[in-house]
Amino acid sequence: MNSTRTTPSRRIIHFGPEGKLYGVVHAPPAHSTRGFVICAPFAEEAKCAYRPLYEIADLAAAQGWTVLRFDYFGTGNSAGAFEDFTPPLAKENIATAIAYLHEQGIERVGLLGLGLGATLAFEAVANDVKADLLILWQPIVSGEQFYKLNIKRQLVRQMLTHGKAEGGKSAGDIIDLDGYSLRTSTIDQLKSIDLLDYGPATVPPTLLFQISFTQNMASDLQALADTCHPEPSSETFICEPFWKRIGFVDCTGVYDVTLEWLSGVGGCKN
Amino acid sequence: MPEKIEDQIKEMIVERLFLQVSPDDIADDDPLMVKYDIDSVRLFEIVIGLEEIFDLTFEDDEFSVEAFETVAAIADLVKSKQE
């Protein structure tokens, strides 16, 4: 009987200082020297995107990539409370995740991020964290804009629950942002993010992927592409924003574009 | 782009919510939330779409269910903000 594995395997890991970060490694059937870390989006979006990020990890692993999904400190199954989450710490976590894959013998490690995760991945690279490739699914370019949209989402939710919006709630240093408790300092850090400030930014081979209701590239994403050197591969794909939907969204097209780009930029035969 | 505000709203709703209907199938007084299964996530998309295509910003006190119940109500809100 042939015992050689032909499908990806998954194993839970605890890594980083004191093993406080929780992750899942999707390993290819045969040893690979190429991999990437998945940088999840923020709060509710991370829940909605769980299935698609799990699926892209499995699909990439089947094509020879070692993929690490993990939870930032303070989120998901990692240690800490949600108010411990901060963008600077999340970027440190990303660097720690890259280092973990290197320790496992993965020589070339990239980043795939969605939403705020893509933003943090971009910032990590811009701040000299070494990544061999960058896949940005619908990155948030302006933290200020992102914050305003989250406030608006909260107002819309309140409107449907109570008939009208009631505004934000706060208790001391903690602010309720659409059901998630954040420190005011974290809100300030989020609002201060502006990816265009990094221009001109030197990036590894990069896929800038707009996932939206239109094929027309949004002006902020185009501006981001224009600040990068070398120029990223820009793709647009019409798809429901699955990271904002509770229900099923068919993301096959998103996976296909991403895997095709990966096979072109990195190859998978080790 | 259609000229009537109501038609622009319908087109935006169908496009942004990936509805499998023609914009012409939506009546001005259709109860949007009931008929098109619009939850808070989808209503948020409508709000953002309105702000983008009409270049306006909704204030906190303008978020009421009645204002977003039908295309006609939304159009009234948009027109009042454009005045």
Side-chain angles (χ1 to χ4, degrees):
Chain A
M1 183 175 168
N2 186 353
S3 63
T4 304
R5 197 160 46 82
T6 57
T7 55
S9 66
R10 302 167 207 108
R11 71 173 190 279
I12 291 172
I13 58 165
H14 295 88
F15 67 106
E18 299 176 54
K20 287 186 174 176
L21 294 176
Y22 168 92
V24 177
V25 174
H26 296 242
H31 179 69
S32 155
T33 58
R34 295 185 176 97
F36 59 87
V37 172
I38 290 183
C39 305
F42 183 65
E44 199 67 16
E45 293 183 356
K47 288 184 188 170
C48 296
Y50 180 87
R51 183 190 57 79
L53 294 179
Y54 182 104
E55 288 182 348
I56 189 68
D58 246 14
L59 290 168
Q63 294 196 4
W65 296 82
T66 299
V67 184
L68 170 57
R69 293 185 297 116
F70 80 102
D71 295 330
Y72 307 113
F73 187 80
T75 74
N77 292 314
S78 287
F82 196 81
E83 56 257 40
D84 296 327
F85 170 88
T86 69
L89 184 55
K91 281 179 271 184
E92 277 181 36
N93 295 163
I94 290 170
T96 303
I98 290 176
Y100 175 84
L101 284 186
H102 281 311
E103 288 163 12
Q104 306 307 306
I106 313 300
E107 293 166 11
R108 299 188 62 215
V109 179
L111 296 171
L112 182 157
L114 167 63
L116 186 68
T119 303
L120 295 170
F122 183 92
E123 283 200 307
V125 169
N127 289 325
D128 293 333
V129 170
K130 186 179 178 310
D132 292 295
L133 61 88
L134 201 48
I135 299 171
L136 307 173
W137 284 2
Q138 198 66 31
I140 290 144
V141 177
S142 162
E144 178 80 37
Q145 183 68 8
F146 177 65
Y147 174 73
K148 285 179 180 170
L149 288 177
N150 271 283
I151 291 292
K152 204 150 280 174
R153 186 179 302 161
Q154 181 166 318
L155 294 173
V156 169
R157 209 185 303 267
Q158 288 174 352
M159 175 173 81
L160 284 190
T161 304
H162 306 294
K164 62 175 184 171
E166 297 178 325
K169 294 173 189 160
S170 63
D173 180 40
I174 303 296
I175 289 181
D176 173 63
L177 185 64
D178 203 15
Y180 291 84
S181 300
L182 290 172
R183 295 184 197 284
T184 51
S185 55
T186 303
I187 298 279
D188 290 341
Q189 288 166 342
L190 279 173
K191 287 163 73 175
S192 71
I193 292 173
D194 186 348
L195 295 190
L196 301 184
D197 283 348
Y198 290 99
T202 302
V203 292
T206 297
L207 171 62
L208 178 59
F209 199 173
Q210 172 179 285
I211 304 161
S212 127
F213 63 91
T214 174
Q215 287 281 14
N216 300 326
M217 185 66 98
S219 57
D220 59 345
L221 292 186
Q222 188 56 57
L224 179 62
D226 292 342
T227 68
C228 293
H229 177 77
E231 190 179 336
S233 305
S234 295
E235 295 280 355
T236 62
F237 192 80
I238 293 182
C239 177
E240 286 197 70
F242 56 85
W243 60 99
K244 296 176 184 171
R245 300 277 189 270
I246 300 293
F248 174 80
V249 176
D250 182 0
C251 302
T252 309
V254 175
Y255 305 152
D256 289 346
V257 170
T258 303
L259 292 170
E260 188 179 339
W261 183 83
L262 273 172
S263 66
V265 77
C268 291
K269 295 180 175 63
N270 288 286
Chain B
M1 177 72 84
E3 277 186 23
K4 271 184 71 184
I5 284 182
E6 286 82 353
D7 293 338
Q8 292 178 46
I9 293 169
K10 290 173 192 176
E11 197 170 87
M12 179 273 292
I13 289 174
V14 167
E15 184 180 41
R16 284 203 169 231
L17 302 190
F18 294 80
L19 297 182
Q20 301 301 311
V21 298
S22 162
D24 296 337
D25 294 339
I26 302 177
D28 288 358
D29 58 355
D30 273 348
L32 292 174
M33 292 170 212
V34 176
K35 189 163 181 180
Y36 297 104
D37 197 20
I38 291 175
D39 56 11
S40 63
V41 176
R42 291 178 149 206
L43 190 51
F44 173 69
E45 288 292 333
I46 293 175
V47 169
I48 299 305
L50 291 169
E51 291 192 338
E52 282 184 14
I53 63 173
F54 297 112
D55 193 23
L56 47 85
T57 302
F58 292 107
E59 305 302 329
D60 292 9
D61 60 1
E62 289 172 320
F63 287 94
S64 71
V65 171
E66 296 78 23
F68 292 89
E69 215 156 27
T70 64
V71 167
I74 295 172
D76 286 345
L77 178 60
V78 169
K79 287 172 193 169
S80 72
K81 289 185 70 67
Q82 288 179 327
E83 285 170 3

